[in-house]
Amino acid sequence: MLTSENKIMIHEPDFFRECGACKRVIGYPEAIREALQLAMQNDRRVFIMGQGVDDPYGMFGATKDLHREFGRERVFDTPLSEGALTGISVGAALAGMRPVYFHNRPDFLLLAMDQLVNHAAKWSYMFGGAVHVPMVVWACIGRGWGSAAQHSQALQGLFMHIPGLKLLMPSTCHDAKGLMLAAIDDENPVLIIDHRLNFNTTGLVPSGPYTVPIGRGIVRRPGRDVTVVAVSHLVTDAFHAAQDVSSQGIEAEIIDPRTLRPLDEELILASVAKTGRLIIADCGWKTGGVTAEIGALVAEKGFAYLKAPIMRLASPDLPTPAAGNLEEAFYVGRNDIRKAMIEIVR
Amino acid sequence: MLTSENKIMIHEPDFFRECGACKRVIGYPEAIREALQLAMQNDRRVFIMGQGVDDPYGMFGATKDLHREFGRERVFDTPLSEGALTGISVGAALAGMRPVYFHNRPDFLLLAMDQLVNHAAKWSYMFGGAVHVPMVVWACIGRGWGSAAQHSQALQGLFMHIPGLKLLMPSTCHDAKGLMLAAIDDENPVLIIDHRLNFNTTGLVPSGPYTVPIGRGIVRRPGRDVTVVAVSHLVTDAFHAAQDVSSQGIEAEIIDPRTLRPLDEELILASVAKTGRLIIADCGWKTGGVTAEIGALVAEKGFAYLKAPIMRLASPDLPTPAAGNLEEAFYVGRNDIRKAMIEIVR
Amino acid sequence: MTYPKKVLHKLLFDMMLIRRVQLAIESRYMDNEMKTPVHLCIGQEAVAAGVCAHLKKNDYISSNHRGHGHYLAKGGNLKALIAELYGRETGCSKGRGGSMHLVDTGAGHYGSSSIVGGGIPIGTGIGMAIKMQRQKRVSTVFFGDGAADEGVLYESINFAVLKKLPVIFILENNQYSVCSHISARQTGNSIFHALPAKMLPSKIVDGNDALAVYDASGKAVERARTGKGPSFIECRTYRIRGHAGCASQDVSGYRTAEEISQWGKRCPITSFQKMLLKKKMITENEIHKTEKKINSRIQDAFDYARQAAPPAPETLSANLFRE
Amino acid sequence: MTYPKKVLHKLLFDMMLIRRVQLAIESRYMDNEMKTPVHLCIGQEAVAAGVCAHLKKNDYISSNHRGHGHYLAKGGNLKALIAELYGRETGCSKGRGGSMHLVDTGAGHYGSSSIVGGGIPIGTGIGMAIKMQRQKRVSTVFFGDGAADEGVLYESINFAVLKKLPVIFILENNQYSVCSHISARQTGNSIFHALPAKMLPSKIVDGNDALAVYDASGKAVERARTGKGPSFIECRTYRIRGHAGCASQDVSGYRTAEEISQWGKRCPITSFQKMLLKKKMITENEIHKTEKKINSRIQDAFDYARQAAPPAPETLSANLFRE
Ligand SMILES: Cc1ncc(C[n+]2csc(CCOP(=O)(O)OP(=O)(O)O)c2C)c(N)n1
Ligand SMILES: Cc1ncc(C[n+]2csc(CCOP(=O)(O)OP(=O)(O)O)c2C)c(N)n1
Ligand SMILES: [Mg+2]
Ligand SMILES: [Mg+2]
């Protein structure tokens, strides 16, 4: 389970990726690792820290062996101390460094909320712009194998609510690299929430440095009948579901917001203007989460376009159960999205 | 500012209050205090803790002098240690006590997120119901007098997202007492978020024990043209705004959800079914907050009723500024609600 | 110091039980039927056994992700444990918790957290409840060296000392947090040892020596039970297996093979058995019988668990709240 | 030990400046023009002055809600401070922060937090950056006894010791957190004093004695600047005014009038002046002149602030992000 050795890697679906002519295929963890490597090579201020970044697991491969290339002064293990270490990142950023702080799982960010929300997110505004906090925090949603309630939370719904934080959720290998580079470039606190399911994919990734713009979503598949805004690994599920229903004459437009905060509102509204129907698929909890915000946004600013009630697909409002069959009942995926597509066009 | 001596108390507006024939008027802090007193008298398991609960301020009056009546073993000051003390409440609850843990401000709950979200909220579910955590956490939103970014946050949008927590936000003296008693009676973790503006009001409060049901909202004013769901002190603002526009022939129905989680969805949907229009007014941030959830809920389950785009009135997505004139620009209130009412019926 | 035979046998039994259960889990883990991240405590059995030997049924413990040993030593139900690992409705947490979230209220176990350090304040709060209820029970908190990185430990100990709570803090120092050695995370002996003994009696003991653990925790439990307040014990021990999963799943490169083998030689069970045999407190035959008994109990538990039904998907939403 | 006259005069000047500024704020607070919760540091001036006397302009400090003294002693701009209290665009935080959120990057002040303990890890992280950048600067962290309730202090000190960071932890123990006496919150002397000196040199000093603070912090700054790692100094002092607001706004009932008056007699400024006069290091006339100079600077600052414009409401959204 923890071992990545015998992992089966699956190639990303054939959706729109902005990769140009690139034919280079690498794994998702390598894509992130490449971003970190480039950033560290180009900027002496960048460093990486977190529990286990220099261990043999190397953060599911994302930081693997970087300490060998850059030394343990720039890639270092930390005490757990998630609260203090977040503040330490803030301080380091204030004094001219560019910390990238890795966490295995978003669940542990709950120990760091004070520094993330009360401090990092507010520092620039609260001092009238005299100071700023360029830091990146990264955490990876766990799922499956009985990870259970405290090791599988998809907390984007919480962080999407916080002014002063940027919130990124990549879904392709290309974007994992490009958004990491954009996050490190950014002058502000950026939280990247990744998903373990993404780590099993390979995809097209240009070898050089490039950034994916923060605040710009992307149409992964054009369609005329229904807009599906899907988050993280659900973009892939939504894409497959769209292929599934295509034979039934339903053409779904799949939107990958990529960054939840700032959110590419225009892209979503333009799509709904075309399709008149909206499904939002998120791997976090339903109530008060990502599906709430995007749903309300469209009911507020795109109401005139809507031909049908919006549909929200999200995890039920429960802690994650451990047992395999309950996990299966818990998570939303391709089937749920497919059913929703069929239902909404009726 | 901190002193409550020269506070001018304002009587609650004349809206529907469920008070029966009661004519007894007391202040909001006294209403909460009365609930605590009754609960402590009736149940030896109930105790009160928090930074300053036994000091001369007595939590803005809500806990004032209770330690004199019940002793410092049952009403005690704590170290700040918000993280540990929340876990200590969880432990005490598991072992048969009924803690009521007071915080001056929700901002400080960010230090307790791990215990609130990872522990208290999950304990019953995660152990298949073998254990449960009857505890109450209370915090009071600050506002005004330059409280600024770290002492004025209205974080209900965060907590509304957490399965396993109940979230109450009273708006009247009657409910402050009845919801506190209901919270203490409840077998589960309950968070009460109160508002400092409420503390300046007086209202009708029966002297005996009673509870306000958790999960049931209330129509504060019936109306046919637009539904306004307002949170906490904004219920009063919405009520006044409704009176303001009544002369222009607009009759707004004011709904006070009272408990945000569980939310009285039926009440809201039934009202929108009648009025066809929805305004949501919250004192928290807009994006991903209370207005998002309620807006999306109606776009999902009450779409057919809607005659106009929903309108969301909330704090802008910014930390709270300190300067008085910026504060004024920051907060939503009666005027904003009135304008929205007029706009939405057009 | 001499020990009653009953105590010695109990210590041995508990350690053997914990070990055999771990090995049984391990031997079946690659079957992919227990779909839950197990954190085995092989090599650390003396800590749970030594401490819990002093605890009564209604005393409390607070445990963590590596909690099978605590659960069993405290008298937690074996069948319910194994069923939980198999994700069954008959599991101690009805299959909702998995390996990291065990519970057995009848044995004073009110649920373990997989958030490192998460159980520390909870156990402290239980201690506060005991004191408020004027009971003679004690609350024992097990946590690892990783948890000692967390500020909540400092806050909890401060509070326990301040309020003189009947809490025993057991730092199970196996030197690693996942693959991070303690020297990458902490600055020396736990700072709580530096406190004056009247504030917080503290002791470092060989955590692979059941009697050393037993002695130190005996004093701490006595102190707590008589209202004298909390104690702190650091048990130096070692995690023989990898952080999670079974032997074959450990990675290499973060510790040496010698280190593992050195500690392997200091097996808390082998040395304890030798000592007992030498002192004629037990016979080979008795050990053999104990082993058989344990093995058959384990076999029963696995049979029970494997044939049990998983939770019905319709019950997914059950127990979010207590009515 | 003898001290250069320049140092003594600087200490006196800073203390007098801080005191006069506090008194000036207080005298105008009931005008309701400074709409911001002020936390005056009257009685605690020796701490900020004594520590900052060793700091260079580009050394860093981290401060808290009671931060006027730290800001001024470190060389923060007086006009920008007063303008901030008046909520002006020309305030150090452009009126966005108020009294609890001061900043002056030119003086090494990168912003103060009003979350108790919030500035501690930030100052520690600044220390880490200094070390990574191989600079000779130091990072000084001011925090109160209330902040010592918080686990983040333990985590930060552990990290600073582990990484040998150039951080000086100044615990400004005025015995109260709002109305809570330290004895209701903590169990004795800060547990960091109990650490071995080679891990964390620590000292308790009379925080009302500028020279005692000066001496102890001099060693700590030297240590930090030469790469030897962090130190911890507890300054015992007293908050003469109430927790927040001006004298008339303090409540009674949580401390005795005697206690206040006893500490009032130990005014750090009066005693320092007496000592200097006695040692002939200053004359009455010089003190008088200093006072006049300070008063006129304060007058200017208030004039400046009061006539300045508040932020334009259209700029409400400015500076959420740095572009
Ligand atoms: C707050 C938090 N941070 C990180 C983790 C990830 N994690 C799970 S177990 C573990 C190791 C903890 O080490 P220790 O406390 O020494 O216990 P051990 O595994 O050695 O028994 C870590 C870091 C977590 N569960 N919780
Ligand atoms: C985390 C947190 N908890 C509670 C508060 C409320 N609060 C504001 S100032 C203060 C007192 C802090 O005492 P101390 O650190 O000793 O500083 P002092 O006021 O004595 O200078 C408290 C409790 C807060 N700001 N932050
Ligand atoms: Mg360990
Ligand atoms: Mg203090």
Side-chain angles (χ1 to χ4, degrees), chain A residues 248-286:
Chain A
Q248 302 175 41
I250 301 170
E251 293 302 335
E253 178 146 306
I254 310 300
I255 290 191
D256 176 359
R258 302 197 288 202
T259 77
L260 290 177
R261 189 154 193 156
L263 181 69
D264 194 340
E265 301 191 355
E266 285 69 34
L267 187 73
I268 295 170
L269 292 168
S271 176
V272 177
K274 182 169 68 170
T275 66
R277 298 183 183 86
L278 175 66
I279 295 169
I280 314 138
D282 179 36
C283 52
W285 292 305
K286 183 176 179 187

Side-chain angles (χ1 to χ4, degrees), chain B residues 25-81:
Chain B
V25 172
I26 62 172
Y28 196 95
E30 290 72 41
I32 299 177
R33 192 179 176 285
E34 219 167 70
L36 297 171
Q37 197 173 28
L38 284 165
M40 303 246 297
Q41 281 164 357
N42 290 334
D43 190 342
R44 283 278 327 154
R45 300 171 303 172
V46 177
F47 68 93
I48 294 172
M49 64 183 220
Q51 250 267 301
V53 292
D54 61 354
D55 76 15
Y57 297 108
M59 207 51 68
F60 319 121
T63 64
K64 204 172 168 75
D65 290 335
L66 286 173
H67 61 287
R68 296 193 205 280
E69 180 173 348
F70 298 101
R72 283 195 202 263
E73 263 198 60
R74 291 183 71 196
V75 181
F76 56 88
D77 200 12
T78 63
L80 278 71
S81 311

Side-chain angles (χ1 to χ4, degrees), chain D residues 44 66 144-147 172-178 185 239:
Chain D
Q44 306 181 203
R66 198 175 304 285
D145 51 295
E172 199 161 355
N173 182 354
N174 63 10
Q175 307 172 50
Y176 287 91
S177 163
V178 193
R185 298 177 286 108
R239 194 193 71 208

Side-chain angles (χ1 to χ4, degrees), chain A residues 51 82 108 151, chain C residues 65-66 114 116 144-147 174 176-177 243:
Chain A
Q51 250 267 301
E82 289 87 352
F108 312 149
H151 274 66
Chain C
H65 60 286
R66 198 176 304 286
S114 69
V116 173
D145 51 295
N174 64 10
Y176 287 91
S177 165
H243 170 66

Side-chain angles (χ1 to χ4, degrees), chain C residues 239-251:
Chain C
R239 193 193 73 207
I240 296 289
R241 291 298 186 266
H243 170 66
C246 58
S248 63
Q249 293 176 312
D250 194 13
V251 288

